[in-house]
Amino acid sequence: MKTPSGVLIAALLLQLFPAVAQAQKTAEAPVTLRQEFDAFLAKFRAALKANDPAAVAGMTQLPFMKNDYYGDVTQFPTKGYPDLFPPKVRRCIANSNATYDRDQEGNDSFHISCGEEIFVFKKTPQGFLFTEVGMND
């Protein structure tokens, strides 16, 4: 009995898909990009350690996540910063490794997971910026 070629192809793709997905997850950032991000992250961590909301706002894409509540550079330090960076999160970001990612449009980013949240830092024309917080799933 012959197996239809479509079934064989589908079976092969199902076996290969996890390998392809894993390869994408372990992508390495180019050395110069990693160095640029590491320099940004050192400044970001220093601002968090100093508990300096204005400095963090200066490294954040504003308006943050297009959200009026977190607002612009004048509102972010008093509204966004206290909500997003309580002491536990500041410690987590200070002690966690960042993971590189490149999306389908070729945008480079790094993220740090802290509990149920993921803090995202994207490469922009202005350099790296803190751009969003997502749910860690």
Side-chain angles (χ1 to χ4, degrees):
M1 177 176 185
K2 280 190 167 180
T3 304
S5 61
V7 173
L8 283 175
I9 291 171
L12 285 172
L13 288 174
L14 287 173
Q15 289 178 348
L16 290 175
F17 183 73
V20 170
Q22 184 61 30
Q24 289 175 344
K25 286 182 183 178
T26 59
E28 291 286 328
V31 172
T32 56
L33 187 73
R34 172 55 85 168
Q35 290 171 338
E36 182 182 353
F37 175 73
D38 287 347
F40 165 83
L41 187 58
K43 291 177 187 173
F44 194 84
R45 286 175 169 162
L48 291 177
K49 183 176 182 180
N51 201 18
D52 185 346
V56 171
M59 293 180 271
T60 301
Q61 188 173 40
L62 296 171
F64 185 71
M65 295 177 60
K66 300 177 179 138
N67 186 326
D68 289 337
Y69 175 75
Y70 292 133
D72 59 17
V73 72
T74 60
Q75 293 175 320
F76 185 85
T78 58
K79 293 183 177 181
Y81 182 86
D83 286 348
L84 297 170
F85 299 106
K88 183 177 178 179
V89 169
R90 293 195 310 266
R91 282 190 303 275
C92 175
I93 291 173
N95 298 310
S96 297
N97 292 324
T99 303
Y100 171 72
D101 188 33
R102 178 170 249 213
D103 66 20
Q104 293 175 337
E105 289 84 36
N107 299 307
D108 296 303
S109 65
F110 289 83
H111 66 272
I112 296 176
S113 297
C114 293
E116 294 187 19
E117 297 175 314
I118 297 175
F119 293 81
V120 180
F121 307 90
K122 288 186 180 174
K123 173 78 171 162
T124 72
Q126 297 81 29
F128 277 96
L129 292 174
F130 171 50
T131 58
E132 65 185 279
V133 178
M135 294 302 296
N136 189 5
D137 48 3

